[in-house]
Amino acid sequence: MPDINGKISGIEINETIDGVSAGAVERKPNKTARDKIVVKRSAPDPYIWGIYIMFLLISIVELFSASSTEVTSANVYSPLIRHGIFLGLGFVIVLWIQNTHYIYMRRFAWVFAMISLLLLIMASVAGVDINGAQRAISVAGMTIQPAEIVKLAVVLLLASILSKNQTPGGVTNRGVVLSAVVVMIFAALLWKNGLTNTILLMVVSLCMFLIGGIQFKKVICVLGLYGICASALLAAKYTDSTPDATEFDAVQKTEVVDQTKDSGVLSGKGRADTHKGRISRFLHGVSPDDKMDDYNRQVILSKFAQANGGLMGQGPGNSRESARLPLAFSDYIYSIIVEDTGFVGGAFLLLLYLLLLARAGRLAYKCSRAFPAFLIMGCAVMIVFQALVHMAIVTGLFPVSGQPLPFISKGGTSVLVMSAAIGMMLSVSRYAVTSGNKKEIKAEGKALPEDMQAANFSNYELKE
């Protein structure tokens, strides 16, 4: 690991500002001149930092606005203080990881993946029940949600596998098969923790395959494998489902569930009926004439909030529905943002996420090596796609499901994991060669281990 001065054993780091050298420090692990390695270290990308700071500011304001149901007479700021602690820890993580060379992330990719896999198994076997599913581990009064950690672990692992098997024509068959197997193993274990997280994981992996230039026929084969895996899981999960569709609809009209869950979980029926109920209600939709009940409460109140926002919103802190909307501070926080800031504010937040993806794409395109390009794009796709899924659920484009809005929603594990992803993106912006300088590209090649030598063939400099 780097020491307190940011040095890495055996690597000479050149501080540069706008491409101009600002000094060098040489460290030689061996005595031969050929062992002297030069790695550029630039300032962290200001655009990514700017977007990240905007997320933090929006999160502080809107989380407080959306936490009416959690406010107590003893301390009205308690929800904000708890959330602020996690945002502060996330900020420290960003600073730490951005000063860590991405080579270490590649080195510990498999270890991180195995740890996250173990946590996921623990949550599935003896986890805390949240909204009808075992999806968290309780530690010292705090809950850890392994599903959030798994997303980043898989992104890091796929970046490692795909870059190691990168060729001018895309990715080798071995790399494609190994990546697909890894995703299916994690997806099979993640299924019990949440259907949406499983779908998100598969979509992010497909995006990384496409970024890696995998041939279309290989992508079709991967989709086929995913389809077989999904069919097997569906068969295993739904075969023992007790009620059929008609019975389920009848039970819906007579049984009442806790409105804070609004998950469609019926006692003894399991998550299979939850998914069926959500999809059925999504296809049926809601109308102004529908009677509000425990099954459509979140959807209706969310639409009320967005309609109340109008074009410019009611102003931060003036939300009317935050006191009535279940989980307004997490799964439905985007509806409160739209109520507070209107269509303009909601569109601005969407634009911030898209700008993060665009900036990551620009940096990835300029990277000379495959691993940092895969890593920065994988992290960006994971963050942005999860945000899009959250917004789609809130606006009624997807069925109801619990998916936090990255950096904005309440949730310690999500905030810390997404902060780590931002830190990795900033690390790539600092240490990956993006100048197009052939001497720096050659020096970077000498600095990296042999299994990280694969070139980023989307880089226009490498095509010449």
Side-chain angles (χ1 to χ4, degrees):
M1 295 294 287
D3 63 16
I4 58 175
N5 296 315
K7 300 174 186 175
I8 304 175
S9 177
I11 299 179
E12 176 185 322
I13 299 177
N14 283 346
E15 295 280 6
T16 62
I17 302 176
D18 295 331
V20 180
S21 176
V25 178
E26 179 181 335
R27 300 189 68 192
K28 299 180 181 179
N30 298 312
K31 296 182 179 181
T32 58
R34 66 180 180 179
D35 290 323
K36 186 177 76 171
I37 301 170
V38 180
V39 174
K40 185 192 76 166
R41 184 172 73 178
S42 304
D45 187 75
Y47 298 99
I48 295 178
W49 258 113
I51 294 171
Y52 173 59
I53 294 300
M54 286 299 301
F55 286 148
L56 296 186
L57 294 176
I58 294 172
S59 179
I60 291 171
V61 173
E62 293 301 329
L63 193 282
F64 186 61
S65 175
S67 298
S68 300
T69 57
E70 288 205 318
V71 171
T72 64
S73 58
N75 187 356
V76 297
Y77 297 105
S78 57
L80 184 60
I81 292 172
R82 291 196 301 268
H83 187 62
I85 290 173
F86 284 109
L87 291 180
L89 290 174
F91 190 83
V92 172
I93 290 175
V94 171
L95 292 176
W96 172 52
I97 296 181
Q98 79 159 8
N99 291 317
T100 303
H101 198 289
Y102 62 81
I103 189 174
Y104 293 104
M105 301 165 202
R106 161 66 177 81
R107 185 173 298 172
F108 294 104
W110 281 98
V111 175
F112 183 38
M114 292 300 102
I115 292 174
S116 67
L117 187 63
L118 178 61
L119 291 174
L120 187 61
I121 294 173
M122 290 174 60
S124 300
V125 174
V128 178
D129 187 90
I130 298 179
N131 291 353
Q134 288 180 306
R135 63 180 83 208
I137 301 173
S138 180
V139 179
M142 299 178 60
T143 56
I144 300 174
Q145 299 209 21
E148 300 296 325
I149 303 174
V150 161
K151 297 173 194 174
L152 183 59
V154 171
V155 165
L156 183 58
L157 192 55
L158 288 184
S160 175
I161 296 172
L162 294 174
S163 62
K164 188 176 180 180
N165 294 276
Q166 185 78 5
T167 65
V171 179
T172 64
N173 292 336
R174 178 181 179 277
V176 174
V177 172
L178 182 57
S179 298
V181 169
V182 166
V183 172
M184 287 190 292
I185 291 174
F186 277 92
L189 293 173
L190 192 61
W191 180 271
K192 188 177 180 180
N193 286 260
L195 175 62
T196 308
N197 283 325
T198 307
I199 296 174
L200 193 152
L201 183 69
M202 289 186 168
V203 172
V204 170
S205 68
L206 286 173
C207 289
M208 293 186 70
F209 291 159
L210 295 174
I211 291 168
I214 293 181
Q215 297 90 332
F216 183 72
K217 62 181 181 180
K218 293 182 181 180
V219 174
I220 296 299
C221 291
V222 171
L223 284 173
L225 289 174
Y226 284 2
I228 294 172
C229 179
S231 299
L233 290 171
L234 284 169
K237 193 165 190 128
Y238 292 165
T239 299
D240 296 330
S241 182
T242 305
D244 57 23
T246 305
E247 182 183 354
F248 181 71
D249 289 339
V251 174
Q252 274 189 295
K253 296 177 182 179
T254 57
E255 290 204 33
V256 179
V257 296
D258 188 330
Q259 72 178 36
T260 60
K261 295 181 180 180
D262 189 31
S263 58
V265 178
L266 304 178
S267 177
K269 302 297 192 291
R271 297 294 289 176
D273 289 335
T274 300
H275 299 156
K276 289 181 181 180
R278 287 176 175 175
I279 294 173
S280 175
R281 290 189 293 275
F282 170 72
L283 295 176
H284 180 267
V286 295
S287 68
D289 297 328
D290 288 346
K291 181 180 179 181
M292 188 183 301
D293 57 31
D294 292 318
Y295 292 97
N296 62 19
R297 185 181 305 277
Q298 283 182 307
V299 176
I300 292 178
L301 292 179
S302 174
K303 292 186 180 297
F304 283 172
Q306 295 171 69
N308 190 40
L311 181 62
M312 302 301 295
Q314 301 298 315
N318 294 321
S319 169
R320 180 184 65 193
E321 302 302 334
S322 62
R324 299 197 297 165
L325 177 61
L327 302 179
F329 48 81
S330 57
D331 294 349
Y332 276 83
I333 197 169
Y334 186 67
S335 62
I336 304 303
I337 293 174
V338 173
E339 185 178 14
D340 283 349
T341 62
F343 173 80
V344 173
F348 175 73
L349 181 57
L350 173 60
L351 181 62
L352 281 180
Y353 284 108
L354 296 179
L355 286 175
L356 180 66
L357 181 62
R359 185 58 184 169
R362 178 61 179 168
L363 292 174
Y365 178 72
K366 295 171 66 178
C367 287
S368 62
R369 302 294 158 184
F371 177 74
F374 275 117
L375 181 60
I376 192 171
M377 280 305 297
C379 290
V381 168
M382 178 191 69
I383 294 172
V384 175
F385 190 76
Q386 180 165 318
L388 294 178
V389 169
H390 174 98
M391 294 176 183
I393 291 170
V394 169
T395 55
L397 297 177
F398 281 6
V400 172
S401 180
Q403 199 62 230
L405 186 60
F407 302 106
I408 313 296
S409 295
K410 176 187 174 183
T413 307
S414 175
V415 169
L416 298 182
V417 169
M418 294 301 168
S419 298
I422 288 289
M424 291 179 183
M425 295 172 67
L426 289 168
S427 174
V428 170
S429 75
R430 297 199 74 189
Y431 292 102
V433 173
T434 59
S435 66
N437 186 303
K438 293 185 177 181
K439 288 185 178 180
E440 289 185 350
I441 292 175
K442 186 176 180 180
E444 183 185 41
K446 292 180 179 179
L448 298 175
E450 185 176 352
D451 60 356
M452 292 182 66
Q453 294 287 339
N456 175 21
F457 293 102
S458 67
N459 187 310
Y460 63 92
E461 294 287 343
L462 299 176
K463 294 178 181 179
E464 295 181 353

